[in-house]
Amino acid sequence: MAKKKPRTPPPPRRVQAPKTRTGASRTSSRTASSGVPIGEIGARQRAILYGVAGSGIVALIAVVLLVAFGSGASGAKAAITAIRNAGCQFRTYPALPRTPHYSVLNPKPAPSWNSFPPSSGRHYYQPLIFGIYTEAVPEIRAVHNLEHGAVIVQYGDKVSQSNVAKITAWYQKDANAVVVAPLAKLGNKVALTAWTRWAECTGFNEKAANAFRNAFRYHAPEHFPKSYLNPGE
């Protein structure tokens, strides 16, 4: 086992309909100068108002979606450019099926993932505790953290201790939803993974790590409040 270093306002009152009058006054009170019954004018006005309000809501939703998805796409593109400009590799992998969950840590056959370290796919039913580790963690559990929106940083056994110290300092600046652990097979590489996202650098590059974390953390199939993704949880 790895060791872990307004109150809701009241509804509006209904407008009271005018009382019906008798005789000649009844006709004048129920028709407009055009001869159209007042009730029909009211219905038409309401329809127009509802239509205008509805179109406004649709337009607002469209703007919100455009901002959310447009800025997300542009943010990801900028991050990828920054990562590659830092001399690192970057790839987006197709999302693999997430279920059924494994109930054992060493299933037979072993899970088949499409990246190393894995960036999506089937995983153990229980995720890792968020934090920084001094020993390798089970990848089958780490994938579950990715599903929750994590960024995972893993480094090989040929990464210098000064680089490991830089990774630790970087982690401590913003540790929410982050896991750090060694992974010997990476050699002199540092790998960063999020759901379907993968980057790899020779040694640790803080600019690339910042770009990756800022763009891809919390972007995953299962959404949890940030307070659920703190170190130790």
Side-chain angles (χ1 to χ4, degrees), residues 91-97 111-122 143 194-198:
R91 293 176 193 160
T92 298
Y93 286 89
L96 296 174
S112 178
W113 296 305
N114 56 6
S115 67
F116 177 77
S119 53
S120 71
R122 291 182 61 192
V143 174
W195 188 258
T196 72
R197 309 287 189 163
W198 172 97

Side-chain angles (χ1 to χ4, degrees), residues 59-153:
L60 178 60
I61 292 172
V63 169
V64 170
L65 291 175
L66 179 62
V67 170
F69 289 100
S71 62
S74 62
K77 185 176 180 180
I80 293 168
T81 298
I83 291 165
R84 288 176 173 161
N85 286 345
C88 305
Q89 300 182 63
F90 178 88
R91 293 176 193 160
T92 298
Y93 286 89
L96 296 174
R98 299 181 284 135
T99 55
H101 288 156
Y102 290 106
S103 58
V104 295
L105 289 172
N106 297 293
K108 303 288 185 190
S112 178
W113 296 305
N114 56 6
S115 67
F116 177 77
S119 53
S120 71
R122 291 182 61 192
H123 47 268
Y124 188 61
Y125 75 95
Q126 189 175 46
L128 295 166
I129 293 173
F130 284 100
I132 187 164
Y133 292 78
T134 58
E135 294 182 1
V137 297
E139 297 297 326
I140 196 170
R141 291 186 67 181
V143 174
H144 199 151
N145 293 71
L146 297 180
E147 185 186 40
H148 291 181
V151 163
I152 298 179
V153 180

